[in-house]
Amino acid sequence: MSFVLGYYVALIAGSTFAAYTGRRTVFLMLFSLTLASFIVGIIGGEGALRFIATAAGLLALAAAVSYCFREFLVAVTKPSLSKELKTAPLTAAFGMFVIFTYAIAGIFAPWIAPYGESEVITQAFAPRDENLLLGADQLGRDIFSRIIFGARNSVGLALLATTLAFLIGAFAGLMAAVKGGWFDNLMGRTADVIMSVPSLIFALLMLSIFGTALWVIVIIVAVIYSPRVFRLTRAVAGNIVVMDYIEAAKLRGEGDWHLIRKEILPNSTAPLIAEFGLEFCFVFLLIAGLSFLGLGIQPPTADWGSMVRENATLISFGDITPLIPAGAIALLTVAVNFVVDWMLFRSSGLKEV
Amino acid sequence: MGDLLGLVLKRLGLGLVTLLVVSILIFFAVELLPGDTAQQILGQGATEETVRALREQLGLDRPMVVRYLDWLSGAIFFDFGVSAISGDPVTASIGPRFANTLFLACYAAVIAVPIAIFLGVLVALFRNTVFDRVANVLTLTSISSPEFFLGYILILYLAVKTSLFPAISSLSEGMTFGELLHRTFLPALTLVLVVTAHMMRMTRAAIINLLSSPYIEMARLKGMPPFKVIVRHALPNAWAPIINVVALNLAYLITGVVLVEVVFVYPGVGQLLVDAVSKRDFPVVQACCLIFAATFILLNLAADVGTILTNPRLRHPK
Amino acid sequence: MSKFKEKDVLLKIRDLRIDGFSDETWVPIIKGVDLTLHRGEVMGLIGESGAGKSTIGAAAMGYARDGTRISSGSIEFDGMELSTATEGERRALRGSRIAYVAQSAAASFNPAHKLIDQHTEAPVHYRIKKRMESQEDAMTLYERLRLPNPSEIGFRYPHQVSGGQLQRAMTAMAMSCRPDLIIFDEPTTALDVTTQIEVLAAIRDIVDQFQTAAIYITHDLAVVAQMADTIKVLLKGEEVEEQTTEKMLDDPQEDYTKSLWAVRSFQRPQKKRPSDGSPPLISVKNIDAAYTGGVKVLDDVSFDIYPGMTVAVVGESGSGKSTTARVITGLLPPSAGEIQFKGQTLPKFYKDRNRDQLRQAQMIYQMADTALNPKVKICDIIGRPAEFYSGLTGPALKQRVDELLDLIELEPAKYYNRYPPELSGGQKQRIGIARALAAEPEFIICDEVTSALDQLVAEGILKLLDRLQQDLGLAYMFITHDLATVRSIADEVVVMQNGKVVEQGPKDEMFQPPHHPYTDLLLSSVPEMDPNWLTTLLEERGVDNIGEAATS
């Protein structure tokens, strides 16, 4: 009961303060939360109220962290960059913060994780305690440690595949735009064919044939996603190739390589970087899906997709543990998408596809 | 009118060629394997003799091209040969499962498409308001989540904790339609969540893209209220991109279904494919892939034709 | 202004200030403009790009475009204050009492609906007329505006109707509710001269007939002289002066206005072909050309360009003048005929030409924005040809770039390290010229180089090109649709229509009768500063013998 009282007192005091100091949006948010809490509290009782309070608290915390992180970035970067960063919405700042955290976790995994990646330390499905933050998995390994190592494996693999897809696709796209003619047509048709098979199905087919070695996964995923990069690069470069300055350079007698490097690339970096982010999300989700189906990264390597599958049975006992690696995947993808969304909005030359 | 028909026919022809190339790809990729189906069936321990005998029995001693043509002509009449593991005809196991998969995809589509377009138009109308921002964050989150994440959350909250719906969507003979809808609600909802978010965003983008056109400004300067501007002036020109979005997402449903079927143990083609892949049962893998690819190509084709048919310039030639 | 009585004031704008959003802040773009318009009065708003004429036009409807906001001032329309009215009240005026005619009718008609459905939209929405009544009315208006097949044309889609006809249909649409005021926002800028004239005649007629007040926005003095009772000159968001049309033309008060008038006076002496029988620098011989799979766009085109001379190629859009340039540079290989340089036949395709052949034919483009790579520094843009052709590097290259910047009258130290987006339109065009000069050519193709520029700036570019020609002995092929430019800079003129050369010869002969009928039409369709020009022309030719009717 005291929680309910304290909750409402805090909310109303906050709204009053916001209204008094003239912060309209803050006031509206706080007060609508108060009103919503009244209704939910009457229907769902104290439990529902606690849930709302936790959710709102987490949201506020995320917003505060994002805000601080943005201010931090603005403070430490060069003036040209910090001017851009100042315009970033909180969602984008949140995205950057999450990416930053994942990077730290991935790079320093062996130092952060309390146990080894595939170290069996206790019995299967041991419950959580002080030593085992998230309990143990079906073989008695520490789930927390495996999640930390997973950051390195899952994200690293996706990053590798994306980079490769990007190199293939962007190079082909730029060449096709500059060369035109039969080369352009051939590349376009090839991309069409690859894209006309659903990516997950294509990956399953190829993996069933070539096995699931890591390098096989990287190459297959890169081949599957390079047509997307190709199409975008071709479209972006296609808009640049029709410019008069390209015509002037061609008439001067410049070679294709000069055109690509000096004239086209400097004008297409913004959409290409944004596309890299988007592409990463697709690749990451595809690899996670494959792992979830047991056809991606193979045990005992820690990987988020396969961890969900391995511990899925816990769900039927109402345990949320298998949701944590799945949530980790979702959180990173959301984060990247938030940043990309902002970048697309900034460059706005490219509408989302 | 002749132009229009010509364009449509050209698209259809192109789609057919693509399908043919894809079938070649699917068939010959498997041929790249060391060993062949006979070896696969009999395993490493088999003698030369028995392998050769089975090879002859399966017709594997004929040249590759002949076997491809044979396979293709069979596939046209839905005959994909026999499973390498069980020896049963592939079509018999795929047929009913394909119907199940289609049912699930349609179930999701029927809910998702109208909601997505309606909400997409709505957020375009209220662009840059709090409503739009919240929708943006929610849809982005939904797109970014793997299907199995959403699926397990739904299972946790709607099946395990509250038992509103069954966690496992097993189908049985003689179920009423209502029962069927109830059993398959969670997998359908998972698909709806992902697909709606995507379609909504793209509908919004398609409409907002048009809002900077001079004819939209003209409509505003004619005194048309915002709702009329969107519905009468922007929407008719946004059909082409919206049709594309819908087709793309329906195509996505067909593949997204694979993961969802596994999560909910739903007896569809996706499950079958995943099993076949892990057992390396290639006739089944090839058949499933071809069916998925054909559906995918068909939907994209439908989108292209739809785009052509809604283009006023093509529909009313000079 | 005596023609209009004080009590008949329709629109009264006082101290209007409008901000525009750029670089994350609001900057003023209209800085306190007053405007008084009476019933039945036509006011011409004139000024260069960035003067804010269009913004004022929109503000007269109580409308602020995306990225602009009305920050202060009053806009009073027929006694109603628009700046304090609700959005709903303002919206109720638009289309019914204040109508708008946009610059590009082709883009401003919704491609998804028939013309007549767009015409009836406003009257039906405001319940002024029933749909059928409004359709009948549309047909009457179409007839008055002399559109062909007035009873049928409305049932077509916008893409099925030509640009000039669309512009008239849009004027009819603006009239659909019989508004008190129409804003014409550069309605003929996108049209060819021969089409422009019929649109002008139609607009003037209908505004006269219904006694509608109008604000006519344009950058073309000669056009506004035909249309307006009073003219207001704007410069960078501020008023320069306002006078009745006659007074403004005869006796402008302000220096800026005078300079606008003076622009048209630049003319350099005409040169003659050399008489010593030396070969032409560039010789275009019996060229036929077509784009892949398309119809023929050039048909037996021949002309010569002699060293140090300027040949103007004139014609309307679709006449093939730019295509001719593409053939000469080798971007579009001709299907028949050949291009000779000093008597030597050039390879048809540019990739087959050697560096020395490539350097001889340089181009200057119409849109300096797309002609210069925005991500490359000025010194590299100009330096690259010098490095590429002459192999200059290091200090020698820097010296050459400085030299070139001096030639185009831009201070080297100031511009050396800058990027194109930081420059004004005229400066960018100068950089384009410097890039062409860096190749040390004998021949330069100028493709509509002045048509995207304001008059004063264009004047500067023409003078610069003339000086360079004298200093460096360059030959120009000057592609243009603007006969005033031809008068000022050309030595010889080639008139093109539908891919054919209609007539060619020295300038003095070309501007004297007798002409080929098309040349005559082209020459007589160019508006003149005389306010009675249109009236006189219509009397001479008759209303049915102008524009499309005359060209076909």
Side-chain angles (χ1 to χ4, degrees), chain C residues 115-134:
Chain C
L115 293 181
I116 204 148
D117 292 339
Q118 303 189 47
H119 183 104
T120 58
E121 194 176 6
V124 171
H125 176 76
Y126 288 115
R127 295 166 207 270
I128 291 171
K129 291 194 182 82
K130 292 265 183 343
R131 181 174 300 277
M132 290 318 288
E133 268 178 78
S134 177

Side-chain angles (χ1 to χ4, degrees), chain C residues 369-389:
Chain C
D369 281 324
T370 63
L372 304 180
N373 190 336
K375 298 285 167 98
V376 178
K377 281 184 189 166
I378 301 301
C379 59
D380 292 327
I381 291 178
I382 303 178
R384 180 66 192 171
E387 182 191 345
F388 188 79
Y389 291 123

Side-chain angles (χ1 to χ4, degrees), chain B:
Chain B
M1 216 51 209
D3 263 11
L4 198 58
L5 198 67
L7 265 176
V8 171
L9 285 179
K10 205 174 147 197
R11 279 302 144 93
L12 287 176
L14 210 62
L16 219 58
V17 172
T18 314
L19 191 56
L20 203 67
V21 175
V22 169
S23 76
I24 292 175
L25 201 72
I26 291 174
F27 185 82
F28 287 98
V30 175
E31 296 293 323
L32 287 177
L33 275 176
D36 57 23
T37 320
Q39 196 104 50
Q40 288 286 324
I41 294 174
L42 296 170
Q44 289 300 323
T47 59
E48 280 289 303
E49 299 293 302
T50 46
V51 171
R52 195 177 307 136
L54 187 64
R55 230 174 241 164
E56 250 162 61
Q57 190 198 327
L58 293 174
L60 293 178
D61 48 351
R62 292 171 303 158
M64 247 198 287
V65 179
V66 176
R67 275 183 294 124
Y68 166 69
L69 291 177
D70 205 33
W71 176 74
L72 186 69
S73 55
I76 292 171
F77 300 104
F78 300 105
D79 175 11
F80 296 96
V82 294
S83 157
I85 306 291
S86 63
D88 299 333
V90 176
T91 314
S93 53
I94 288 186
R97 281 169 169 265
F98 185 59
N100 290 344
T101 297
L102 270 188
F103 168 74
L104 186 58
C106 290
Y107 189 2
V110 166
I111 303 176
V113 174
I115 293 185
I117 293 183
F118 178 73
L119 286 180
V121 172
L122 217 58
V123 282
L125 194 60
F126 293 109
R127 64 195 173 283
N128 301 333
T129 60
V130 178
F131 175 57
D132 183 30
R133 299 253 165 84
V134 171
N136 182 31
V137 170
L138 287 183
T139 51
L140 259 185
T141 312
S142 176
I143 298 172
S144 311
S145 307
E147 291 88 346
F148 52 82
F149 183 52
L150 292 175
Y152 281 131
I153 289 186
L154 291 181
I155 290 184
L156 184 65
Y157 287 102
L158 296 182
V160 177
K161 292 211 167 165
T162 52
S163 6
L164 289 173
F165 297 96
I168 290 178
S169 314
S170 54
L171 303 180
S172 51
E173 293 287 319
M175 280 170 35
T176 63
F177 190 61
E179 251 181 305
L180 188 65
L181 291 183
H182 182 246
R183 284 262 173 106
T184 52
F185 183 73
L186 286 189
L189 185 61
T190 312
L191 288 172
V192 165
L193 283 179
V194 179
V195 170
T196 306
H198 210 218
M199 278 195 280
M200 221 176 112
R201 290 178 68 80
M202 287 160 100
T203 307
R204 174 185 183 273
I207 290 179
I208 286 186
N209 246 340
L210 289 176
L211 289 183
S212 56
S213 336
Y215 59 80
I216 296 296
E217 174 161 271
M218 191 69 214
R220 288 192 188 135
L221 289 175
K222 274 202 288 186
M224 295 299 127
F227 179 73
K228 265 200 179 178
V229 169
I230 298 250
V231 172
R232 229 185 97 77
H233 289 273
L235 202 54
N237 293 293
W239 280 131
I242 290 177
I243 286 175
N244 259 313
V245 170
V246 170
L248 201 76
N249 281 281
L250 291 184
Y252 174 80
L253 273 181
I254 299 291
T255 58
V257 115
V258 174
L259 287 166
V260 173
E261 281 176 7
V262 172
V263 170
F264 292 94
V265 205
Y266 180 84
V269 192
Q271 272 279 4
L272 185 70
L273 174 63
V274 174
D275 288 346
V277 167
S278 43
K279 290 181 194 148
R280 297 167 78 88
D281 184 351
F282 291 111
V284 177
V285 173
Q286 283 175 326
C288 292
C289 286
L290 194 64
I291 287 177
F292 277 124
T295 323
F296 203 77
I297 292 172
L298 205 69
L299 282 167
N300 280 324
L301 204 63
D304 280 352
V305 172
T307 311
I308 294 174
L309 291 181
T310 50
N311 185 337
R313 279 165 201 275
L314 292 171
R315 216 169 30 168
H316 312 282
K318 286 198 178 186

Side-chain angles (χ1 to χ4, degrees), chain A residues 83 87 178-179 243-256 258 262-264 266-267 269 346, chain C residues 24 326 329 331 350-351 355 358 363 365-367 369-376 381 384-385 388-389 435:
Chain A
K83 193 182 153 208
T87 67
V178 173
K179 290 252 179 220
M243 293 287 174
D244 290 335
Y245 57 83
I246 299 290
E247 188 182 301
K250 276 187 185 169
L251 284 180
R252 197 186 306 142
E254 301 281 9
D256 292 342
H258 174 92
K262 293 282 163 119
E263 311 279 353
I264 299 177
N267 287 294
T269 38
R346 291 281 309 168
Chain C
E24 316 288 329
R326 290 175 69 83
T329 53
L331 280 170
Y350 77 94
K351 286 203 171 161
R355 283 193 184 188
L358 287 171
M363 280 205 60
Y365 296 88
Q366 173 178 10
M367 307 298 290
D369 281 324
T370 63
L372 304 180
N373 190 336
K375 298 285 167 98
V376 178
I381 291 178
R384 180 66 192 171
F388 188 79
Y389 291 123
R435 178 175 60 188

Side-chain angles (χ1 to χ4, degrees), chain A residues 53 58 135 146 148 151 163 194 208 232 250 255 282 288 293 296 302 344:
Chain A
L58 280 177
R146 284 180 67 75
I148 299 288
T163 312
I194 298 180
S208 70
L232 180 102
K250 276 187 185 169
F282 286 118
L293 295 175
L344 286 180

